[in-house]
Amino acid sequence: MWAARLDLTEVVQDDVDHWLAAGRSTRYEVGDFLVRAARRSHGPDLVVPVRPRPDPAALDEESHWEFLRQCLNDTASRSTSARPAHPDHRL
C-alpha cells in the first residue's frame, strides 16, 4: 500500500487487507489513523480488524492453580497497597 505510493484517497479495503497480511503485526496500529482520516474526509472508510493475538500458553488445570497460588502468596513482589478483595478467602 505505502510502497505502491498510493494516495490515501485511492486506497481501497483490498489494499489494506493485503498490506496487513504481508507485514508485521504492528501494522495494525494504522487503524486509528485510518479512522481519523476518514472522519476528516481525507480518505475512504477503511476497516482494520483487531490485531490477531497468539494463543496463550496452555496450562493444565493443576499448573494453572499452582501458578495462581504462587502469585497470591508471593509477598516479595506484592505491594503493601495490594490486598485481596476478600482477605479471609483462601484458595
Side-chain angles (χ1 to χ4, degrees), residues 30-87:
V30 77
D32 290 337
F33 168 78
L34 293 176
V35 167
R36 284 191 299 273
R39 286 182 183 160
R40 291 174 175 80
S41 301
H42 297 299
D45 254 347
L46 299 167
V47 176
V48 174
V50 175
R51 181 189 319 189
R53 297 179 183 205
D55 290 332
L59 291 176
D60 61 46
E61 182 91 12
E62 184 54 36
S63 297
H64 169 80
W65 287 110
E66 180 57 31
F67 182 66
L68 181 58
R69 280 186 206 96
Q70 289 173 8
C71 290
L72 293 173
N73 295 317
D74 183 7
T75 57
S77 65
R78 190 184 307 165
S79 152
T80 57
S81 64
R83 302 267 186 253
H86 303 286

